[in-house]
Amino acid sequence: MQPLHDIRVLGVTVFLAGPFLCMNLARFGAEVIKIEVPKRGDPVRGNGPFAGPNGIHSTRQTDQDISTRFLKRTQGVKSISLNLKQAEGRDLFLELAKQSDVVIENLAPGSMQRLGLGYDDVSQANPGIIYCSISGYGQTGPYASWRAHDPQIQGMSGIMDMNGNSDGPPTRIGIFISDLVTPMFAAYSILAALRHKEQTGQGQYLDASMMDTIATLMFMEPLEEAIEQGEPMRTGNDSRGGPTGLYHTQDADIIITVASEEQWQRLCRALEAPELKEDERFATNQARNVNLDALRLEIQQRLGKLTREVAVEQFEKHDVPCAPVRSVSEVMADAHFYQRGTLRPMWHTTLPEPIGGVTAGFPVMFSGQPLPDLSGAPTLGMHNHEIYGKLLGLSGEHIQRLQTQGIV
């Protein structure tokens, strides 16, 4: 099943947000062509650890070694080299854009315009183009010129103020959340723009801001109420209300959710603690919130006498939402993810066998038929002859001249 089989994407993308967007469009069958700087490529190509025939290691060992970061972000993508700072390189890009449906870039705002390849320039060559820019703060506004990666966005967006313990400092979320979630918003915005183009023939410019994305996620929650009431932004592993949170058993941690009166009643039965229901401090949801520290202590004292296995079994038996807090190693070893295709082996196009480690699959299963497996990550300029030769009709001698002149 390749619903985007007739869509061609040009990606002037580096690091994570842009490449992640491109890879996910490739999952649905789009032909995604990654534009890279000749001889250097995406900066991530030089970032370890590296994978090769001898496994994964911290430094390069052979010519086949490739960054595992690059592997995880460019599965199924084609690579061509092109110097956009040279006039002939710019012209070649515009020729490619004429035969493409989507352009994606995540350079610093204004970079593509200075190259003469901004939306206005490209749309003159192809009025129907969907052109998507991803940046830290957006193409407009007071912060547009500020440089940013995910850590700066987490700080500026306020999400670090929500994360961490109430008596501790703001804490960065462990994954590059703005680099990963913004491309998701961008992906379905591109699909909406393509649908609009089908109906009207009109192309469109999409301005995706990483900070704006995180802000829209945060303010789904009633943060303004917490601010008004002077409550701490950071709640750590606990909840703003009720005994939802992290608890310690004899041998491991678990996390439970108690978000309703019915769940509270079931929790008391699971703990075999009818006395908690009869305690006036915990008789109502409001009373439980007022006496939350005391309530959590009561629950912890009872859970501390059980093993994780027994505690989870008890909560499951009484239909209380509960799960063990697992290590990343436990998750990687769980057959569930491989059966569903959520985690997959990493591939590199030059090697016949999967490389050690895992990369992400796609978390949605389709009833019709599965999405196709993506090919491995490309070497730099691997598809030059295919794209310049077959798509633009350039001869081998022409491509050789471009290479000699440093254009490709």
Side-chain angles (χ1 to χ4, degrees), residues 2 22 40 47 85 154 157 186 212 232 272 275 277 279-282 284 295 317 323 328 338 340 349 365 379 407-408:
Q2 295 187 314
C22 287
R40 295 204 311 268
N47 294 346
K85 294 182 178 180
Q154 290 201 34
S157 67
D212 293 352
E272 299 179 349
E275 67 277 8
K277 290 193 294 184
D279 193 317
E280 291 184 359
R281 296 175 299 169
F282 315 135
T284 65
L295 175 55
K317 178 180 177 181
V328 176
Y338 301 94
R340 290 181 58 87
T349 49
M365 300 181 72
T379 56
I407 297 171
V408 306

Side-chain angles (χ1 to χ4, degrees), residues 239-375:
S239 172
R240 295 188 184 280
T244 293
L246 181 78
Y247 294 90
H248 315 294
T249 67
Q250 285 182 352
D251 56 351
D253 295 331
I254 62 173
I255 192 159
I256 66 172
T257 295
V258 181
S260 68
E261 183 63 31
E262 185 179 359
Q263 287 178 343
W264 161 248
Q265 298 291 330
R266 296 201 295 263
L267 172 71
C268 293
R269 291 195 292 272
L271 293 174
E272 299 179 349
E275 67 277 8
L276 292 182
K277 290 193 294 184
E278 299 166 2
D279 193 317
E280 291 184 359
R281 296 175 299 169
F282 315 135
T284 65
N285 182 64
Q286 183 176 0
R288 291 193 289 274
N289 287 338
V290 170
N291 298 288
L292 199 51
D293 289 342
L295 175 55
R296 286 181 174 143
L297 181 60
E298 293 282 356
I299 294 172
Q300 177 57 61
Q301 288 175 344
R302 289 162 174 80
L303 284 174
K305 300 175 183 178
L306 307 176
T307 64
R308 181 175 78 172
E309 182 179 359
V310 170
V312 170
E313 182 179 331
Q314 283 292 99
F315 283 129
E316 285 292 319
K317 178 180 177 181
H318 290 86
D319 200 20
V320 177
C322 169
V325 177
R326 301 195 295 178
S327 68
V328 176
S329 297
E330 288 179 289
V331 172
M332 285 183 62
D334 191 338
H336 165 94
F337 299 108
Y338 301 94
Q339 291 173 2
R340 290 181 58 87
T342 310
L343 296 179
R344 296 176 177 272
M346 286 193 295
W347 286 86
H348 183 230
T349 49
T350 65
L351 299 175
E353 299 293 333
I355 295 170
V358 296
T359 187
F362 197 71
V364 180
M365 300 181 72
F366 290 76
S367 64
Q369 55 183 304
L371 295 173
D373 289 336
L374 294 176
S375 60

Side-chain angles (χ1 to χ4, degrees), residues 38 82-93 115 117 401-408:
L82 184 60
N83 188 338
L84 299 178
K85 294 182 178 180
Q86 293 196 26
E88 193 168 358
R90 174 185 178 277
D91 293 341
L92 285 170
F93 183 91
L115 292 169
L117 295 172
R401 177 181 65 79
L402 294 173
Q403 182 175 337
T404 302
Q405 295 176 336
I407 297 171
V408 306

